[in-house]
Amino acid sequence: MTIISARNVNKYFYVPEELHALRDVSLDVAPGEVVVIIGPSGSGKSTFLRCLNRLEYADSGEILIEGRDILDPKCEINEVRAEVGMVFQSFNLFPHLSVLENVALAQMTVRKRSRAESEKKGMELLTKVGIADKHAVYPDQLSGGQQQRVAIARSLAMDPKIMLFDEPTSALDPEMVGEVLDVMRNLAREGMTMVVVTHEMGFAREVADRVVFMDHGAILEIATPKDLFTTGATHDRTKLFLSQIL
């Protein structure tokens, strides 16, 4: 059983010149599975992640989310996105809204919840990510790690079945990385389906069910963390990558 199924996904960019960003990428993700995607910069990791909720439109192939083909022009993509939370490198919080208002807004507009219900759930989630005491402050009064935890709470407020993380710690100071990874570890323990693009190999080793290595727009290797980091990678390009960062 799969909750995400990608088949032979291709993506091209044409500015400033043609770039074959994704090359026949295929990947299945089971409900409750944590898949971590690693690879060098420019390998297509983030492009693939963005294709999974159609922030980027794949040029060919098939992407099924809970059996719905999101590349079908008839697909109501906003209905699908309501089930797929996404956390970016940048926090994308509304600077003129308080922390709690940031978490409540989408619930009211998309899920049609009352303000009281949205704020109640928002406080529960801010408590979950360890930042309830900051509910009344504004984003620019928070550290980067705190803002990213608010962004995670905001995504969780929509009750998604899938969470996509696009290098969620890359914009953080080193001492703030741990607090965000702790939240993600807790989500994994609770059974959230997660696809995570990251350079945090410790997180991949500890939390992932499978690790996917990408380079030049293609998946070169898929393995368990034990097989990849302990037994050893099988693809020469994966071995070279890991030797440079571990």
Side-chain angles (χ1 to χ4, degrees):
M1 182 178 176
T2 63
I3 192 168
I4 299 172
S5 183
R7 287 285 176 274
N8 303 118
V9 175
N10 285 273
K11 173 66 180 176
Y12 294 86
F13 294 107
Y14 297 97
V15 178
E17 58 187 24
E18 182 176 297
L19 171 67
H20 196 172
L22 295 177
R23 301 170 183 265
D24 292 317
V25 173
S26 296
L27 180 69
D28 288 333
V29 180
E33 187 176 22
V34 179
V35 174
V36 173
I37 304 177
I38 64 172
S41 297
S43 60
K45 308 182 301 295
S46 293
T47 299
F48 177 59
L49 201 71
R50 291 170 67 85
C51 284
L52 292 181
N53 66 354
R54 221 173 76 182
L55 289 178
E56 295 286 357
Y57 202 106
D59 292 297
S60 65
E62 181 181 71
I63 300 175
L64 303 180
I65 304 295
E66 291 192 295
R68 301 178 68 176
D69 182 2
I70 67 170
L71 300 185
D72 184 342
K74 297 179 182 178
C75 176
E76 293 290 343
I77 190 61
N78 288 330
E79 292 180 6
V80 177
R81 286 178 182 151
E83 309 297 333
V84 182
M86 187 158 186
V87 177
F88 301 87
Q89 299 177 42
S90 54
F91 319 121
N92 296 321
L93 301 177
F94 294 111
H96 63 291
L97 299 180
S98 71
V99 163
L100 182 56
E101 288 169 335
N102 265 280
V103 178
L105 179 62
Q107 298 182 64
M108 293 186 290
T109 56
V110 178
R111 293 297 191 193
K112 306 302 181 185
R113 294 170 183 156
S114 68
R115 177 176 292 276
E117 183 183 8
S118 298
E119 290 186 348
K120 181 177 183 292
K121 186 173 185 67
M123 285 302 298
E124 291 171 353
L125 288 166
L126 291 172
T127 300
K128 181 186 183 76
V129 301
I131 202 171
D133 59 321
K134 303 291 186 182
H135 71 277
V137 307
Y138 291 86
D140 64 0
Q141 297 172 275
L142 301 177
S143 69
Q146 290 171 330
Q147 291 189 57
Q148 192 63 290
R149 282 187 281 162
V150 174
I152 293 172
R154 180 178 59 184
S155 290
L156 292 174
M158 302 299 290
D159 296 318
K161 297 177 181 178
I162 300 165
M163 285 288 286
L164 308 177
F165 292 88
D166 186 8
E167 299 192 34
T169 61
S170 65
L172 302 180
D173 292 333
E175 64 268 23
M176 298 176 185
V177 169
E179 63 191 54
V180 173
L181 293 181
D182 283 343
V183 171
M184 295 170 64
R185 289 186 184 96
N186 288 336
L187 289 177
R189 283 192 286 267
E190 292 170 2
M192 174 64 74
T193 304
M194 298 165 59
V195 183
V196 184
V197 171
T198 186
H199 293 293
E200 299 291 340
M201 294 301 112
F203 176 84
R205 186 193 300 265
E206 176 187 351
V207 179
D209 295 300
R210 289 183 296 156
V211 180
V212 175
F213 177 75
M214 292 185 67
D215 192 26
H216 288 94
I219 292 177
L220 299 187
E221 188 161 357
I222 302 176
T224 66
K226 180 180 178 181
D227 287 342
L228 197 70
F229 297 115
T230 304
T231 306
T234 59
H235 197 286
D236 288 342
R237 182 64 186 94
T238 317
K239 293 177 183 177
L240 176 62
F241 175 79
L242 293 176
S243 71
Q244 293 172 334
I245 64 171
L246 294 180

